[in-house]
Amino acid sequence: MRRYTPPAAMRAWLAWAGIVATIVLVASACRPPPHAAVKNCTAMAMQPHAEGNCTVTVERFARRTSTRIKVDSPKPRARLSGHFTVQHGTVKVSLRGMTGIAAETALRPGALGPLEADVRLGRDPGFHLHFDREGEASGLAGTVQYRSR
């Protein structure tokens, strides 16, 4: 009994359909969920110091969220300065280094929440920003600048 082999044109069409389906799946998976803390950082390493600027956004809060910002420097400390805003609701922003909470600020709509501190860095140098909502909250945006010391 002979096995059916589709014509070359049909095989080419099926191959292209598979490629397009794969691209669509990959492209749709690249968008972070709305409750994720999305960061975008640019860093400069000027030995022995490291400097960086980051933007952080959270579209909508479903639960507590956080992000980690890595500092590529052999220095044990970093000076951090940041400002955050929120469109709706109340959000508490906590900055954590190796020794725990270094600074906190509460955000309300229409107010700028400053955050400044010296942070002790660990073996894997960096710091965490934690965002805790109180009730419904959305539209967090902020900028963070750091410099190792």
Side-chain angles (χ1 to χ4, degrees):
M1 187 165 148
R2 286 181 53 164
R3 201 168 120 186
Y4 173 73
T5 305
M10 184 180 272
R11 287 192 309 264
W13 184 87
L14 289 171
W16 278 108
I19 291 170
V20 169
T22 302
I23 291 171
V24 168
L25 285 173
V26 169
S28 66
C30 290
R31 182 165 163 75
H35 62 271
V38 179
K39 71 173 186 259
N40 185 8
C41 296
T42 58
M44 297 181 298
M46 301 181 314
Q47 293 300 330
H49 297 286
E51 292 183 3
N53 296 309
C54 299
T55 59
V56 180
T57 58
V58 179
E59 189 177 318
R60 182 179 64 234
F61 286 87
R63 59 185 177 267
R64 179 183 198 199
T65 187
S66 64
T67 188
R68 182 177 187 282
I69 297 176
K70 187 173 181 174
V71 179
D72 288 324
S73 173
K75 296 289 187 176
R77 294 190 161 286
R79 177 74 179 154
L80 178 128
S81 174
H83 295 87
F84 295 89
T85 61
V86 67
Q87 292 178 354
H88 304 286
T90 302
V91 177
K92 182 175 79 171
V93 180
S94 302
L95 168 65
R96 291 179 170 263
M98 188 176 108
T99 57
I101 296 175
E104 289 183 322
T105 188
L107 305 177
R108 289 175 183 74
L112 192 63
L115 193 67
E116 291 192 27
D118 283 326
V119 180
R120 183 148 186 244
L121 306 172
R123 282 187 226 162
D124 187 22
F127 54 88
H128 289 87
L129 292 167
H130 295 277
F131 306 99
D132 293 301
R133 68 184 171 106
E134 295 176 14
E136 294 294 316
S138 63
L140 180 134
T143 59
V144 176
Q145 298 85 33
Y146 64 86
R147 180 181 167 130
S148 65
R149 308 173 97 186

